[in-house]
Amino acid sequence: MPVLVASDLDRTLIYSAAALALTMPDARAPRLLCVEVHESRPLSFMTETSAALLGALGDAAVFVPTTTRTRKQYQRINLPGPEPRYAICANGGHLLVDGVSDPDWHAGVTARLAARCAPLAEVTDHLLATADPAWVRKQRVAEDLFAYLVVERELLPEEWVGELAAWADGRGWSVSLQGRKIYAVPKPLTKSAAMREIAERTGAHRTLSAGDSLLDADLLAATDRAWRPAHGELAEAEWTAPGVTALPERGVLAGERILREFLTAAREPARTDTRTG
C-alpha cells in the first residue's frame, strides 16, 4: 500500500525569478536547476538538492504534482525524477492520468460547480467592473473554471482584495492573492477532492501534502501530515490545522526542507490510518 504525496508547486517546490528575489538567502546561495522554460525564457527553478530529493521521492511514494496552473501551464514544467502517473491541475478541475485529463472526473467537477456557486461569467464581469486598469496588467479565465488577474502589487489597494473576497464569499467563491496574481475560485473546486480520488485509486494508506497559499489549505487539512513554508498566504495568516507543521524556512530552502520531510515520512513503517477516507 503506497504513500501518496500531493504537493503544490509554485512557491512551494519551484520558484520564479520574482519569488527567488524575495526569498533567496544572501549567503551561500544554493545552486539552481531550471525546471520551466517559456518563450525561450527560463521561468521556474528549484535547487539541485531539491531535484535530487524529488528524484528519490518518486521512487519511495506516489508523487502527485498539485497545482492551480492550467494543464498547458503545468505541462511546461520538467520536474526531475520519474514521470508522475497522476497530476492535479486547475485547482482540482482536471485530474491527469498519464498526462491526459480524466473526462469523468472533469464532468463531475463542472456539474458540482454549476449546482453550488455563482456562474463564472458573473464573477469575471465583477472583476472587470471593479478592478482599476491602472494596476491590472492581465485578466484571464483558466480552463473555463476560474478567473485571475495579474496586477502591479505596489499599486493594488489592500482594501480592494478584502472587498472582493467578501463579495465572492456570498456567491460560493473564494479569493487568493499570490504574488502578482489575484485568483477567484469556486469553493467546490478543491485540490483535496482530487487528492482523495487519487488516494482511493492507488490504495494509499498514508497521505502527505505541502503548500503555501489559501488555495492549499483544504489540501493540507485533508492529509495525514502536511507542511507549509514560512512565506505565503498561510504563513501571513498564521494558519494551521491538525497534522500541519509550520516550517521556519522560506523560499527555495523551504522547498528543500519540505522534500526532506516528505522523504522521511514516506520511508516510515506503514500505518493503516488515513484522513482521506
Side-chain angles (χ1 to χ4, degrees):
M1 296 178 68
V3 175
L4 187 151
V5 177
S7 182
D8 177 51
L9 297 178
D10 292 283
R11 296 192 175 219
T12 299
L13 297 187
I14 68 175
Y15 292 81
S16 67
L20 287 172
L22 294 174
T23 59
M24 178 71 76
D26 290 330
R28 299 178 62 85
R31 291 167 59 92
L32 298 174
L33 174 70
C34 178
V35 295
E36 179 185 13
V37 175
H38 181 53
E39 296 179 346
S40 302
R41 293 190 300 112
L43 285 190
S44 298
F45 306 84
M46 65 194 316
T47 70
E48 290 183 349
T49 299
S50 289
L53 291 167
L54 184 55
L57 181 65
D59 293 326
V62 178
F63 174 66
V64 181
T66 306
T67 180
T68 305
R69 286 179 176 232
T70 65
R71 288 169 291 171
K72 184 177 181 180
Q73 291 168 340
Y74 165 69
Q75 288 162 352
R76 294 198 304 248
I77 302 172
N78 184 19
L79 293 172
E83 187 71 22
R85 173 82 194 281
Y86 297 98
I88 297 168
C89 293
N91 214 63
H94 286 281
L95 192 163
L96 305 189
V97 183
D98 294 327
V100 179
S101 180
D102 183 313
D104 293 335
W105 174 260
H106 181 63
V109 168
T110 54
R112 288 194 294 275
L113 300 189
R116 300 181 190 176
C117 47
L120 175 62
E122 180 180 343
V123 175
T124 55
D125 288 347
H126 183 80
L127 288 174
L128 290 174
T130 60
D132 190 336
W135 43 262
V136 173
R137 293 296 169 259
K138 297 178 184 177
Q139 188 271 333
R140 294 287 186 268
V141 170
E143 303 271 20
D144 291 323
L145 292 168
F146 62 91
Y148 64 93
L149 302 177
V150 180
V151 302
E152 296 290 348
R153 280 294 296 269
E154 63 275 13
L155 300 178
L156 176 67
E158 292 184 12
E159 65 274 11
W160 186 86
V161 179
E163 292 167 0
L164 175 64
W167 179 90
D169 183 65
R171 290 159 177 80
W173 287 63
S174 59
V175 171
S176 175
L177 176 60
Q178 302 177 38
R180 297 175 59 238
K181 293 182 179 179
I182 301 170
Y183 291 90
V185 178
K187 290 182 180 180
L189 186 66
T190 64
K191 296 177 178 180
S192 60
M195 181 276 298
R196 289 188 178 98
E197 175 69 16
I198 296 172
E200 183 175 341
R201 293 188 188 191
T202 60
H205 72 279
R206 195 184 322 159
T207 55
L208 313 172
S209 65
D212 71 301
S213 81
L214 291 175
L215 295 178
D216 298 313
D218 68 284
L219 175 68
L220 273 58
T223 51
D224 295 309
R225 296 180 64 185
W227 294 264
R228 67 164 174 83
H231 64 260
E233 285 183 308
L234 296 181
E236 291 170 4
E238 299 183 347
W239 179 89
T240 191
V244 177
T245 299
L247 298 174
E249 291 89 352
R250 295 169 51 84
V252 288
L253 297 184
E256 287 186 7
R257 174 69 182 274
I258 287 166
L259 285 164
R260 287 192 179 95
E261 297 288 350
F262 281 157
L263 197 54
T264 298
R267 289 171 172 170
E268 289 175 353
R271 295 181 297 191
T272 57
D273 58 311
T274 180
R275 302 216 306 257
T276 62

